[in-house]
Amino acid sequence: MRAASVVGSVVSLWRYPVKSMMGEKLDATAISEQGIVGDRTYALIESATGKVVSAKNPRKWAKLFDFHAAFVDLPTTTHIPSVEITLPDGTKLSSEQENINELLSSVLGREVTLASTAPPEPILEEYWLDMDGLPHRETVTDEKIPASTFFDLATLHLLTTATIERLQQLTPSGRFEMRRFRPNIEIASTTSNNFIENDWIDRIVAIGEEVQIKITGFCPRCVMTTLPQGDLPNDPSILKTAVQHNNGNVGVYASVVQGGTIRCGDLIQILD
């Protein structure tokens, strides 16, 4: 049996049925090789460009964070149900409506299509703030994402409370809340080490009794973390703090080694 060290426990779980919209908070979820079952299953495709719609370019898609998406039934590895989308004014739409694309396009002001199949070589647009330390400044770039998926870089995103608390200490005036960073798994840390996830790269992590994942890399942050969301204000200092103190990274990405079910309260262990 492999030795293990406990580094925390699961505080909350999140699934985002439609890319860049608000998602669902879960008590438990199945995880497969594709990550949390149902996560980023749908996305909008801009009709004019064929690109995946993302709040990474708020100059076009600033309204996306005012949309909420939730499955009408429990998704499984063999069945993805329809999704209900709540518009900013509270109107609820179904992904099965014949006029869903027309209605979404009208609200967004650009022609879009709700898709559940990603392009073979998907591309999204990313706007870069005029900020020291970023690889680009005050420009929009085309960014490739993993083939035939709607994920940015990997299928799972983890973030610890220790990292959020450290960022808050560094910039007390900002509101560093977990929801700004949209992790799949929020972890309550057993220590208050600075950016503890940085030490997990290339390690195998066990979650609960079944699931094992491999931490594959850092999670580089973007303009999305600064955008207004609910009662959270627009705040460039959120990204600036990450850039200045952790090379722009907040949290880590992971791939699934062994699937199963995870639940809030499950222990997080690093396998040695």
Side-chain angles (χ1 to χ4, degrees):
M1 179 179 294
R2 302 176 69 174
S5 55
V6 176
V7 293
S9 60
V10 177
V11 177
S12 64
L13 298 164
W14 291 88
R15 174 174 62 214
Y16 302 91
V18 181
K19 185 176 184 63
S20 281
M21 293 185 186
M22 296 294 106
E24 304 172 289
K25 192 173 184 179
L26 310 170
D27 294 322
T29 183
I31 286 185
S32 70
E33 290 182 1
Q34 285 74 45
I36 287 180
V37 174
D39 191 43
R40 275 84 171 188
T41 298
Y42 292 88
L44 300 177
I45 305 295
E46 185 179 18
S47 301
T49 63
K51 296 174 184 176
V52 176
V53 170
S54 170
K56 286 179 179 290
N57 186 5
R59 290 181 164 185
K60 278 187 178 180
W61 312 112
K63 291 182 180 180
L64 277 178
F65 274 5
D66 294 326
F67 288 66
H68 288 73
F71 287 111
V72 299
D73 198 1
L74 184 68
T76 69
T77 54
T78 58
H79 172 66
I80 299 297
S82 59
V83 67
E84 181 180 78
I85 296 173
T86 304
L87 302 182
D89 67 359
T91 301
K92 295 184 183 298
L93 306 178
S94 168
S95 58
E96 296 185 346
Q97 288 181 226
E98 290 186 2
N99 62 342
I100 182 69
N101 296 328
E102 179 183 342
L103 294 171
L104 292 172
S105 299
S106 176
V107 176
L108 289 167
R110 294 177 183 271
E111 188 175 339
V112 296
T113 299
L114 180 64
S116 58
T117 300
E121 297 181 356
I123 293 175
L124 55 75
E125 294 177 343
E126 180 167 355
Y127 168 68
W128 301 83
L129 291 170
D130 186 7
M131 183 179 292
D132 287 342
L134 295 180
H136 308 280
R137 296 180 66 166
E138 191 57 36
T139 189
V140 176
T141 59
D142 284 348
E143 302 292 332
K144 294 181 179 180
I145 60 178
S148 302
T149 80
F150 294 129
F151 293 103
D152 286 345
L153 289 173
T155 54
L156 278 179
H157 169 29
L158 292 74
L159 182 54
T160 66
T161 54
T163 288
I164 293 294
E165 290 165 4
R166 180 56 180 153
L167 291 167
Q168 188 67 70
Q169 291 169 358
L170 291 165
T171 305
S173 61
R175 288 179 60 186
F176 290 86
E177 297 187 20
M178 195 67 64
R179 53 186 165 144
R180 279 199 186 273
F181 300 92
R182 295 167 63 86
N184 295 118
I185 304 173
E186 176 189 357
I187 300 169
S189 315
T190 55
T191 69
S192 57
N193 292 353
N194 288 353
F195 308 115
I196 186 175
E197 304 97 320
N198 291 0
D199 298 329
W200 299 354
I201 305 299
D202 293 328
R203 308 286 294 279
I204 301 296
V205 173
I207 308 176
E209 299 296 324
E210 299 175 303
V211 173
Q212 292 186 15
I213 63 176
K214 181 177 181 179
I215 308 302
T216 54
F218 300 110
C219 183
R221 308 319 306 209
C222 67
V223 67
M224 286 177 69
T225 60
T226 73
L227 300 179
Q229 183 184 139
D231 62 337
L232 293 175
N234 183 75
D235 186 356
S237 76
I238 302 298
L239 180 58
K240 185 176 181 179
T241 304
V243 170
Q244 290 180 334
H245 297 281
N246 198 35
N247 297 314
N249 301 311
V250 181
V252 289
Y253 281 125
S255 60
V256 178
V257 176
Q258 178 177 300
T261 299
I262 59 174
R263 301 170 179 82
C264 289
D266 279 351
L267 290 181
I268 306 288
Q269 303 178 78
I270 302 292
L271 302 184
D272 298 322

